[in-house]
Amino acid sequence: MATVNEVIDTTIDDPGNRTPLVIGGHNYGSVTELVCRINESKTPIAWYIAFAMSLMTLGMFGSLIGYLVFTGVGVWGNNNPVYWGFPIVNFVFWVGIGHAGTLISAILFIFRQNWRTSINRFAEAMTIFAVACAGVFPAVHIGRVWVFYWLFPIPSLQLSMWPQFRSPLLWDVFAVSTYATVSVIFWYTGMIPDLATLRDRTKNPILRIVYSVLSLGWTGSARKWSRYEKAYTLFAALAAPLVLSVHTIVSFDFAVSQLPGWHTTIFPPYFVAGAVFSGFGMVLTLMVPARQIFGLQDVVTKRHLENVCKILLATGSMVGYAYAMEFFIAWYGGNLTEQFAFVNRAFGLTPWAYWVMVSCNVISPQLFWFKICRTTPWIMFVISIFVNIGMWFERFVITVTSLQRDFLPSSWGEFVPTWVDYGMLIGSFGLFFTLFLLFVRFGPIVAMAEVKSVMAHPHHDAHDIPQGDYHDDEVDH
């Protein structure tokens, strides 16, 4: 789709010195051309093929939801005692995927980690789409989806009831809805200058109207830049605590129960580390092929990829430590039921799921200790796929194996997923990739304005600046 400049990426060869975040001798104008040509060039056949596959998978997802509503939750493999099956597993998985976007955009922004500027738009978009996928499953998991509003804190005489504020499921509604709202606002606010650039460059009259509405009359004046930066910093400060709070509250779905394997205080930090781990895994999964297909090697350098790999290595080690601590806590606490729950995970009814989880989440990231693995894109991509698989299995192991074997052997059961379970899992990826492909085609996938702000050479000529990028016609006097 794009011609890649023959530039040797040396950003990882001299770790002792500060390396440029943009290579290839780019100026402000050429960065704009590099990013905007993705939206302005003819849509490649590969995009149509990928979009058609995603759209068909999404159609299957919608059909299965309709089948579920009209038939009932018995189409799932959920049973007694495994009342929570694939839907909750998928929900926790997709909420975790969305955490990397908030961490990259908010926390790394607050700590002035400038390398985030080339990859934050990938992560922010991924956050929105992952939360959209996550929100589907609690809505359909309640069984009677036509009374889903009972989840909301709306006192009503018609309901003759008040929502149960002590239920962690209600906490999920607050946490996920707040997270989604702040993430959308933060994502959209960051795109306003880039949407104005696309508005000024597009020749399609329909897209010009759309971009004009979305860019909110942006002119790039000093006054607008000042207010934009204040608003962006404020939203970053609001979003940063959500990295800890959202998945902490999701972990309470499990931790506040009395079930062996769930009732543990390690869950909140363990879930947060796992969420960041899975989110960065998905960032690599999306970023590595997009970087190659769209010729973004000059703005998404090997240094960017290596930094993501280091975060994966750190969070993967945290997750491995949490796995070990679960066994230690069960042994040290002297609770035989708790001890049995964890032994059962590793050697019981579904030991293959546990060892897939450990292999993918603990062993595979350790390859990033080797520099060749942190700097070779195809190796990063393969490991990121393993991370995504492992993190889904982690949620499966926590949910299903604990419910299959609880306190009383007389209440033990076995969970067997149905074709609807598998279909809805695959279909959720159809929703995710459909939204992502639409964003790639029509939105700025790299934050042009932020990349320009951290370029190594700030000096430029007037003709290098696209009309929509910077103006000084409204400077306050």
Side-chain angles (χ1 to χ4, degrees):
M1 181 170 182
T3 303
V4 180
N5 296 329
E6 293 296 333
V7 178
I8 299 176
D9 189 342
T10 60
T11 55
I12 59 172
D13 296 334
D14 192 6
N17 296 321
R18 185 180 296 274
T19 54
L21 297 174
V22 179
I23 61 176
H26 285 281
N27 54 35
Y28 292 158
S30 62
V31 168
T32 301
E33 292 289 339
L34 178 66
V35 178
C36 288
R37 70 185 178 191
I38 299 172
N39 309 100
E40 297 168 351
S41 59
K42 184 178 179 181
T43 306
I45 299 298
W47 185 90
Y48 283 113
I49 296 173
F51 186 70
M53 294 173 61
S54 298
L55 206 59
M56 287 189 293
T57 309
L58 174 58
M60 179 187 71
F61 189 44
S63 301
L64 290 174
I65 291 176
Y67 177 60
L68 168 73
V69 171
F70 284 100
T71 308
V73 294
V75 300
W76 286 331
N78 299 10
N79 55 44
N80 183 5
V82 187
Y83 294 105
W84 282 5
F86 271 35
I88 299 300
V89 174
N90 297 338
F91 165 71
V92 181
F93 170 76
W94 282 116
V95 170
I97 290 294
H99 267 57
T102 306
L103 190 143
I104 291 176
S105 299
I107 294 181
L108 295 185
F109 172 78
I110 291 173
F111 285 98
R112 295 297 185 265
Q113 296 296 306
N114 291 334
W115 63 270
R116 60 173 279 283
T117 56
S118 294
I119 64 173
N120 66 326
R121 191 63 52 75
F122 285 94
E124 290 168 3
M126 182 194 72
T127 292
I128 308 303
F129 308 146
V131 172
C133 295
V136 173
F137 290 99
V140 299
H141 190 265
I142 60 178
R144 293 180 289 170
V145 295
W146 48 90
V147 291
F148 72 93
Y149 53 87
W150 286 8
L151 291 171
F152 296 95
I154 306 174
S156 172
L157 295 177
Q158 285 74 30
L159 294 179
S160 301
M161 61 178 287
W162 285 72
Q164 175 55 275
F165 283 93
R166 289 180 295 177
S167 169
L169 301 179
L170 184 62
W171 307 343
D172 280 346
V173 174
F174 281 98
V176 176
S177 60
T178 302
Y179 183 64
T181 302
V182 173
S183 297
V184 168
I185 294 174
F186 192 44
W187 175 58
Y188 174 62
T189 301
M191 285 198 299
I192 289 175
D194 295 341
L195 291 171
T197 300
L198 293 175
R199 172 201 64 196
D200 295 343
R201 292 175 58 93
T202 185
K203 295 179 175 59
N204 186 313
I206 298 177
L207 287 178
R208 180 181 292 273
I209 294 173
V210 174
Y211 290 140
S212 297
V213 172
L214 294 177
S215 59
L216 304 178
W218 177 269
T219 60
S221 67
R223 180 170 61 187
K224 285 185 170 56
W225 272 111
S226 175
R227 293 173 178 173
Y228 165 83
E229 290 171 355
K230 290 178 182 177
Y232 195 78
T233 303
L234 175 62
F235 288 136
L238 288 173
L242 294 178
V243 176
L244 301 177
S245 67
V246 173
H247 226 57
T248 295
I249 292 174
V250 170
S251 76
F252 289 166
D253 292 352
F254 304 92
V256 298
S257 72
Q258 299 297 319
L259 192 71
W262 288 5
H263 188 64
T264 173
T265 55
I266 199 176
F267 263 27
Y270 164 28
F271 268 53
V272 170
V276 175
F277 179 59
S278 62
F280 272 90
M282 186 60 78
V283 166
L284 268 187
T285 302
L286 298 175
M287 188 169 59
V288 169
R291 172 181 179 266
Q292 183 66 35
I293 293 170
F294 299 120
L296 297 174
Q297 288 90 336
D298 290 352
V299 292
V300 183
T301 66
K302 289 183 179 180
R303 174 66 72 185
H304 293 94
L305 300 179
E306 187 181 26
N307 287 343
V308 174
C309 293
K310 289 178 180 177
I311 293 177
L312 272 176
L313 174 60
T315 52
S317 300
M318 294 177 190
V319 168
Y321 175 78
Y323 293 164
M325 283 298 101
E326 285 186 313
F327 280 88
F328 173 77
I329 292 171
W331 168 78
Y332 192 72
N335 188 321
L336 296 179
T337 309
E338 192 80 10
Q339 292 174 8
F340 170 78
F342 288 101
V343 172
N344 178 65
R345 286 183 182 180
F347 306 104
L349 195 62
T350 55
W352 55 271
Y354 181 83
W355 294 110
V356 167
M357 174 191 78
V358 171
S359 300
C360 293
N361 294 344
V362 180
I363 298 175
S364 67
Q366 302 308 312
L367 294 173
F368 286 140
W369 285 107
F370 304 100
K371 186 174 183 179
I372 188 172
C373 296
R374 298 195 308 269
T375 56
T376 305
W378 73 265
I379 296 179
M380 302 177 199
F381 180 75
V382 171
I383 294 176
S384 72
I385 295 294
F386 285 141
V387 168
N388 295 327
I389 294 172
M391 288 309 297
W392 187 90
F393 271 99
E394 178 195 283
R395 279 63 182 245
F396 176 84
V397 167
I398 291 173
T399 303
V400 174
T401 60
S402 299
L403 289 169
Q404 288 181 144
R405 298 289 186 267
D406 59 5
F407 293 100
L408 298 175
S410 60
S411 66
W412 288 358
E414 183 177 354
F415 173 78
V416 179
T418 66
W419 63 274
V420 178
D421 285 312
Y422 290 118
M424 293 189 73
L425 170 60
I426 297 170
S428 65
F429 282 92
L431 173 59
F432 179 79
F433 284 109
T434 297
L435 295 173
F436 186 78
L437 287 168
L438 286 172
F439 174 70
V440 166
R441 185 67 191 92
F442 298 105
I445 66 172
V446 173
M448 294 179 281
E450 295 190 56
V451 168
K452 293 171 186 176
S453 69
V454 299
M455 288 175 63
H457 53 289
H459 302 291
H460 52 267
D461 299 325
H463 66 273
D464 287 333
I465 307 175
Q467 186 177 358
D469 282 6
Y470 301 93
H471 287 288
D472 255 340
D473 54 352
E474 296 184 12
V475 178
D476 288 332
H477 296 286

